[in-house]
Amino acid sequence: MNPTLLKLREIVTDATLSPAQKARYLSLEAENMLPYPDLDSETAQAFHDGVLCDLVEGHAPYKPRYLLPDYEVVLRQGSAYLELDPPQSLDEAINCLMIAYHHVPSVTGMPVFIGHLDQLLLPFCDGVSDDGLYRRIKLFWRYLDRVLPDAFMHANIGPTDNRVARAIMRVDAELKQIAPNLTLLYDPEVTTDEVLRIATDNIVECSKPHVANHPLHAATFDARGYAIVSCYNALPLSGGAGTLVRLNLKEVAVRSKSVEDFLDTVLPHYMDLQFRMIDARMGFLFEQSNFFASFLVDEGWIDTDRFTAMFGIYGMAEAVNHLQDLQGRSGRYGLDAAANALGYRISEAMAARVEATPVKHAWRDRAMLHSQAGISIDTDVTPGVRIPYGTEPDPVSHVKALLPHHAFYPSGISEILTIDETIRSNPQALFTLCKGALASGFREFTANVAGNDLVRVTGYMIRLSDVEKFNNCEGSRTNTTGLGAEAAAVTGILERKPRVVGHELSPGYGQ
Amino acid sequence: MNSPRATVSKVLTFSCVDGPGNRLVVFLQGCNFACKTCHNPHTMGLCNDCGDCIPACHAGSLSMQAGRVVFYPSQCDQCDACLRACPIHANPMVQSMGVGDVLGILRDNLAFLDGITLSGGEATTQLKFVVALFGAIKADPALCHLTSMIDSNGYLAPSGWAKVLPVTDGVLLDIKAFDRRTHLSLTGVGNARVLEAARFLHAAGKLQELRFLVVPGHTDTATEAEALCAFVQRLGGVRIRLNAFQHHGVIGAARDWPAASRDSIEAIAARLREHGVAEVVTPAVYV
Ligand code: SF4
Ligand code: SF4
């Protein structure tokens, strides 16, 4: 057998994968036998050398990376294609959503967004008792985790304080499941302190939810709205992201002779190559894949014009430290004011270039800058603009060191603060930290509390006990455990003071 | 006006174990106890400029100028060799801060804070500064929502407390032992003033928390637990934090003492709860 067939056979006979997981890996192998979308030689070289990375999205993008359907459409009008009447009761509405999710693809094959659940379900809650609501949400949550076991699947709640949001947080803390991931949209004018406090108490309990700065995000998008999906990407609702290509700033820095050379020449050059790669991938998706000839478009769940391209970056810490070395400066990223200021300059320069560069097919004809959270195959490169594992200062200094970056990353900048276990006897401290971070201009607040079984690996959730099981070769029911186990082994993220943070995508079998 | 200054060994902008919510903690240098179990022993002494620590510094951060030891932070890599070299548990890296300096730090971190706690060392050994700082916080409309607290060993006399309490929201008080001799052997000082301070502060409504360090073989005995329960009962309700003796930072003979186990702490906690103490906080982590 040739090596390709051997690999396929290895997949189908793997003792730790379920048939569905095998089918997925087989499909990835098949897709990657096709030629890559056309890249010029310079771009191809940068891709080959690891300066550019496509997060193993596959050679033939036949679906957008992230899809954010407007589920309100299907709840209001039903679906002709799916032969669904508009739901009349809470049970029918939840059932309708459960069916809808199966028709929403993403890079992982499972939906990364399952709706602004409180806003979607509230109209169906009249006459439903609190207990009835709680029991239904609990069954719904169990269904989501068992049938769509992917930690990138993301629900949004807020910014209003309402029964459904409260029931969801109650159930989430109780079940401590990996899926779905959860974001509370927080608006100081609308969200009550009580609800924010429930959220931060839940973080102490299970490291969820993530809290998003609603006014900042709302101003970035338009009246049709946005959602937080996957590992903390902010994207247009009724659309999403066609692709995410990321730039390894560390590799850009080592190719530069000085700070000026980096900012004036080398960074712009590689950013331009990144735009070419984005164009190639968006071109295939929009012009050749026939994805948009779909009932999703016909029935108005999504709109072809509302897909952005995510312009990801990572390795800011290593880039800054390398540039500091070039200048003979010892200050390190995250800890030294001058090093941090250099980081802000780099972010600002990238934001300006992204703002000035047209991207075909993209929402508003522009890509969106994104501080990318990393992937299990990364070694020696820190996700996004984060401070390297194990060198983070205390949580307040941490927030203040990263704060100025937040203005430059409209499609998301995920930082995960690790909080030590002593917070359990004083959860008020986490509430104040969260509120303070958001009031100071943090786009998003995410924290892991040490000692929780449920922790974040670069953005998605895993259970440490599952990682242990997986490493003992028992296999795992959830798709992200393999990733988490790999990320933990490769990048040492479990060493993160005091625990993990993490990352995004399923890179394929045995990589 | 001659406004008081403080000798500060450390400032933390995040602490969730020094009072309610997140607190700015300022550690003031110098202590009037000499606890064998201290996990910050280098905060005990006040520098006498003997110069013994200068040769210990590999980074050249310390020098003698006009008879005083001077510290240049830029090269310091926090190796702490100077602390180990000091014969009197002092610290050549302390900073001198005025009230305005601390107010500045508070303003810079305001969005993240519920309050400030002065710790040590023993904060009340610099009482003038404490009174001036807390008074300034209370007088500032932008800061007066912060709670001002003191972490203390309780040695301050009631007349001293009377000066600071009007501007203090709460005191976190350590009782090292109820048996007078045990207290004397652990701290070098008797406990009469500590117990008096606890009663005085409680009567004034300012006893935020009583802390009791469980040291195996010394304060984990049935008599100590009994005395703690009885004391708290007579006081009439206060939040108790049980701390487990651990080796981190400890120097001298106590390093060979066993660390307190979860079981021994939980046993004392259970006893306190049986005696009707509603709030008993036990350590989140044992190391
Ligand atoms: S900690 Fe003390 S000995 Fe070490 S470098 Fe700093 S000043 Fe020098
Ligand atoms: S810190 Fe200690 S060793 Fe150094 S000069 Fe002061 S008293 Fe002497």
Side-chain angles (χ1 to χ4, degrees), chain B residues 172-214:
Chain B
L172 311 151
L173 190 81
D174 267 84
I175 296 185
K176 303 288 186 197
F178 286 88
D179 178 72
R180 196 180 51 81
R181 271 161 315 177
T182 309
H183 196 279
L184 192 63
S185 97
L186 284 175
T187 69
V189 184
N191 62 3
R193 286 171 70 161
V194 182
L195 301 178
E196 187 186 358
R199 287 186 284 261
F200 180 82
L201 291 168
H202 188 266
K206 297 287 168 89
L207 187 57
Q208 171 71 20
E209 179 175 291
L210 252 192
R211 298 163 159 196
F212 187 75
L213 179 68
V214 178

Side-chain angles (χ1 to χ4, degrees), chain A residues 153-183:
Chain A
M153 180 176 65
H154 213 119
N156 289 194
I157 52 174
T160 59
D161 179 351
N162 62 71
R163 294 169 66 201
V164 179
R166 283 175 181 244
I168 284 176
M169 287 200 281
R170 181 178 160 201
V171 167
D172 206 48
E174 215 175 285
L175 298 182
K176 299 182 174 57
Q177 297 174 166
I178 294 174
N181 210 335
L182 185 66
T183 288

Side-chain angles (χ1 to χ4, degrees), chain B residues 56-59 61-62 71 75-83 93:
Chain B
C57 178
H58 69 99
S61 286
L62 301 171
F71 169 59
Q75 296 303 318
C76 169
D77 61 6
Q78 285 131 37
C79 72
D80 288 352
C82 53
L83 302 180
M93 302 177 285

